[in-house]
């Protein structure tokens, strides 16, 4: 991993709304895949695979759910 | 992902009851699949696959359980 | 999902004992499978599959463990 | 599931030591498999399968880890 | 499981450093596999399998991460 | 595992920023794979496999998400 890759947009877990927190969770999950597979062309090809594979789509959902749990706690659940 | 997709109905994790929290968890999990696979026709086809696959149904249950954990904490467990 | 499906028996995470909390976790996990696959006949067939598949049985255990973590926290661990 | 199956030995998450907490986590994980597959003969056969399958053994470990997290929190980590 | 198997070295989750906490997480994860598959020869053979299987190595990492989360909380994150 | 392998760079979960916390999560996840498969050549070969396998990439993301949850809590979410 190049240390200069931005892994968290804005370098903060704090967001104004739950919606933005959810968007951040999706981005953070994708950025891990990006640093693990830096080749954009390969990632594009793999994306075509998992976007049509129900088991992988469910696994994507689990990953986002875990990231979101952290973000939600960071924001005191936007209470 | 289009930034305009609604990822959390009502843009809030707060619900009146545990039942509504559970419904929200299901919706949030489904919306992640929706933004990852925006094509409704493909999603419908994949749904037919995972709804008859026991391993995938169990995985759906894990995803909802993780989402619900966050929602339940946000609501102080509706104590 | 029909909004009228009961997802949490009693609509509460509070239980008198850990045993009842565990039973609730099992029921909550099953109800997610029920709303995802509403056809009782298909569910019965799938149940026959996962009940004899060790990997799926372990995955069922993971799901219940996650649900129970939330219920236990809601009950302050019945301390 | 028969409601009379004991799902948590002693019906308490409180243990004297971390070691006992770990043993409880193992038992709780096994009891979920037991209520999901009540036939002892089938369970014995399946146990022979997962005990020699590295991926399933790792999954057993994940399940126990999740159960233990709850038990450890219940006991304030035996601090 | 023989009740006499040591599942947590030192029977405590408290460690002096994060490094030691991480080592404890690895040991705790391995001890669960040990009680589930007590035959050292079989474990050795299975280890040869998962050590060369990328999906299983990743799953080992998930298990250790879950164990470590508990240990880190027990130690107030060594703050 | 050789006890002398460094499992957490700097032997601390505290980081200055979320970005550094995320980098730490990635490193910690990789170091578990390293102690489980100490042969650098084999690891390099396996990396070529999982970097082109979408299901494994998603699983890597889950592992990092779990590690990060712990690091974020340790840092009070950098609030």
């Amino acid at each position: 991993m190049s240390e200069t890759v931005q892994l968290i947009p804005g370098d903060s877990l704090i967001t104004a709304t739950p919606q933005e927190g959810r968007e951040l969770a999706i981005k953070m999950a994708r950025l891990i895949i990006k640093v693990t597979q830096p080749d954009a062309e390969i990632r594009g090809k793999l994306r075509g695979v998992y976007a049509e594979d129900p088991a992988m789509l469910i696994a994507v959902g689990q990953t986002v759910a875990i990231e979101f749990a952290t973000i939600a706690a960071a924001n005191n659940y936007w209470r």
Side-chain angles (χ1 to χ4, degrees), chain A:
Chain A
M1 173 188 65
S2 166
E3 299 300 336
T4 57
V5 173
Q6 190 195 41
L7 295 168
I8 302 177
D11 201 4
S12 171
L13 300 180
I14 308 306
T15 70
T17 62
Q19 168 78 19
E20 289 179 21
R22 201 74 174 160
E23 292 170 359
L24 179 57
I26 294 171
K27 286 175 192 159
M28 284 171 60
R30 290 187 181 167
L31 287 165
I32 294 302
I33 291 181
K34 188 175 178 182
V35 292
T36 311
Q37 176 48 269
D39 186 317
E41 196 178 342
I42 294 176
R43 283 203 311 277
K45 199 175 61 178
L46 299 179
R47 189 175 172 73
V49 175
Y50 73 71
E52 303 211 5
D53 182 301
M56 292 186 204
L57 280 171
I58 295 165
V60 166
Q62 287 187 2
T63 309
V64 171
I66 299 169
E67 301 285 16
F68 183 69
T70 300
I71 294 166
N75 287 279
N76 279 319
Y77 306 100
W78 301 275
R79 280 186 199 123

